[in-house]
Amino acid sequence: MYYLYILSCSDGTLYIGITTDVIRRVKEHNSSPRGAKYTKARRPLVLLYQKKYKTRSSASKAEYAYKQLSREQKLLLVEKSLLKKKKQYEGNKKSRICKRY
């Protein structure tokens, strides 16, 4: 599995990349010499978005497409993702409450 991810940099810019392990890669960006040159001067970084892909090819194509989006479009994508996760969380929370009684 490959993941496309979007990071928010300390200067307000966004960074997009792909990896097989998002947590490891974010740690590298934040503290390791293995982080991208762009992100080394813009630490700390915060993970905003991630999406799973089956192949490196599909992740690379998605990375290119995402990089063509405007900043506003990228932020809208992040916002939609967060709202979707919030709804999923609230749905799971309600189902757990119902199961208790």
Side-chain angles (χ1 to χ4, degrees), residues 14-99:
L14 300 174
Y15 178 84
I16 298 176
I18 61 170
T19 186
T20 56
D21 184 344
V22 176
I23 294 170
R24 174 191 52 80
R25 191 65 181 132
V26 172
K27 285 180 183 177
E28 287 176 352
H29 281 300
N30 271 316
S31 59
S32 166
R34 300 195 71 193
K37 185 176 180 180
Y38 181 84
T39 60
K40 285 181 186 178
R42 292 167 172 82
R43 294 175 178 164
L45 306 160
V46 177
L47 179 66
L48 296 180
Y49 177 84
Q50 66 182 16
K51 187 172 180 182
K52 190 185 305 187
Y53 292 89
K54 290 183 179 180
T55 65
R56 181 181 170 108
S57 175
S58 60
S60 293
K61 289 175 184 174
E63 179 185 21
Y64 177 79
Y66 279 54
K67 286 182 176 183
Q68 303 310 302
L69 299 175
S70 68
R71 176 181 173 76
E72 291 76 24
Q73 290 171 316
K74 292 171 192 167
L75 291 173
L76 185 60
L77 180 75
V78 169
E79 184 179 344
K80 285 181 181 180
S81 175
L82 290 173
L83 289 173
K84 183 179 177 183
K85 286 181 183 181
K86 182 180 177 186
K87 286 181 183 179
Q88 288 173 345
Y89 172 76
E90 289 172 351
N92 289 340
K93 190 175 174 183
K94 288 177 186 175
S95 67
R96 278 190 239 131
I97 291 170
C98 293
K99 288 179 184 177

Side-chain angles (χ1 to χ4, degrees), residues 4-21:
L4 175 132
Y5 61 93
I6 300 177
L7 301 177
S8 175
C9 302
S10 64
D11 64 356
T13 59
L14 300 174
Y15 178 84
I16 298 176
I18 61 170
T19 186
T20 56
D21 184 344

